[in-house]
Amino acid sequence: NIMLIIPAIDLKDGHCVRLKQGDMEASTVFSEDPGAMAKHWLDQGCERLHLVDLNGAFAGKPVNEAAIKSIVSAIGGQIPIQLGGGIRDLDTIERYLDDGIDYVILGTAAVKNPGFLHEACYAFPGQVIVGLDAKDGKVAVDGWSKLTGHDVIDLAKKYEDCGVSSIVYTDIGRDGMMTGVNIEATVALAKALMIPVIASGGVTNLDDVRKLCDVESEGIIGTITGRAIYEGSLDFAAAQALANELSLNAS
């Protein structure tokens, strides 16, 4: 298996943006053409793409569907696309899968409504991912504004039992702050689960990629990166090439 370096495209008002620690006001527009941005990452060797409907995450319903469709029409069918943000019901999941999205990522909705998660996993087997945002081992919900008392590993095990296909794990103390991945916390989660974990938040350079590749065998299949590849501290093509090389050597 090859460690996937997964570019994030965060969508706000139809544009590609980057937030600082989840703050909608502190956003920078990177591109006004989401389809072209997706094609750019595909051309750079990307094997999976991560989309976030930021307005949707705050509104609790899809807001950037037009931009999402433009991305699917640019690269759909060539690599898997995963999407999160504002997915709160089965109709929305069905609509996105019909649009050509491969995996939906459930966040806050799943934490608050386990019944919904069960239904989603039953209706769309293999296509439901849960995003877990954590700080100091506790789960955060509602666009990171609230910390809950839930232990990350306990909750992730419940999701695994539901039939979730993988977990996207974000250490929110580090996301967008360019401080490196929380390897220990990510490994501890991956070791406790049978399903794979996708790391998120904090990948800033090739050294972080090396560290993640070292622990890939624990069940970490990829890492999502956003700000670093847009601001240039991480060369995406070099990162995926390094991951490919390390994975081949490991096998």
Side-chain angles (χ1 to χ4, degrees):
N1 281 351
I2 284 168
M3 172 70 68
L4 301 172
I5 312 298
I6 306 170
I9 295 183
D10 289 352
L11 298 165
K12 182 184 172 197
D13 310 332
H15 302 149
C16 306
V17 303
R18 197 76 194 105
L19 301 187
K20 236 179 210 164
Q21 282 195 311
D23 180 0
M24 282 290 268
E25 300 309 308
S27 65
T28 314
V29 173
F30 281 104
S31 166
E32 300 197 351
D33 186 343
M37 185 56 83
K39 181 82 169 62
H40 167 75
W41 296 127
L42 179 68
D43 293 344
Q44 295 275 308
C46 140
E47 302 272 344
R48 189 190 281 218
L49 191 64
H50 177 79
L51 308 183
V52 183
D53 177 353
L54 287 171
N55 305 97
F58 283 85
K61 60 179 193 288
V63 176
N64 284 288
E65 195 174 9
I68 290 159
K69 283 182 165 172
S70 74
I71 288 170
V72 171
S73 63
I75 67 160
Q78 299 181 69
I79 56 168
I81 303 172
Q82 59 189 44
L83 165 69
I87 302 171
R88 301 278 196 278
D89 56 56
L90 295 178
D91 288 345
T92 302
I93 296 177
E94 186 167 29
R95 203 163 96 200
Y96 279 142
L97 296 177
D98 286 347
D99 284 346
I101 293 296
D102 299 278
Y103 301 98
V104 292
I105 303 169
L106 306 181
T108 301
V111 177
K112 290 186 168 172
N113 183 353
F116 168 51
L117 185 62
H118 274 282
E119 289 172 359
C121 290
Y122 182 73
F124 309 104
Q127 293 185 287
V128 176
I129 296 173
V130 165
L132 271 184
D133 299 334
K135 193 169 188 177
D136 306 325
K138 298 290 183 228
V139 177
V141 296
D142 281 339
W144 300 0
S145 57
K146 297 191 183 101
L147 277 175
T148 68
H150 292 295
D151 177 78
V152 168
I153 289 176
D154 291 347
L155 203 54
K157 283 182 163 168
K158 288 192 179 115
Y159 294 156
E160 178 172 68
D161 293 342
C162 270
V164 165
S165 65
S166 59
I167 300 277
V168 169
Y169 176 70
T170 308
D171 189 296
I172 66 171
R174 302 185 181 218
D175 184 75
M177 291 289 107
M178 314 290 268
T179 46
V181 182
N182 189 333
I183 297 280
E184 305 82 337
T186 309
V187 168
L189 179 61
K191 276 184 162 167
L193 300 174
M194 300 293 289
I195 55 174
V197 171
I198 297 169
S200 170
V203 174
T204 57
N205 55 39
L206 291 176
D207 197 39
D208 291 328
V209 174
R210 275 190 199 92
K211 285 179 192 155
L212 275 168
C213 287
D214 284 346
V215 293
E216 184 193 2
S217 59
E218 305 289 1
I220 300 167
I221 57 164
T223 180
I224 296 164
T225 182
R227 169 167 293 170
I229 54 174
Y230 293 108
E231 295 189 354
S233 71
L234 184 68
D235 176 321
F236 173 77
Q240 188 61 68
L242 175 64
N244 295 354
E245 181 191 328
L246 293 171
S247 299
L248 285 172
N249 292 345
S251 60

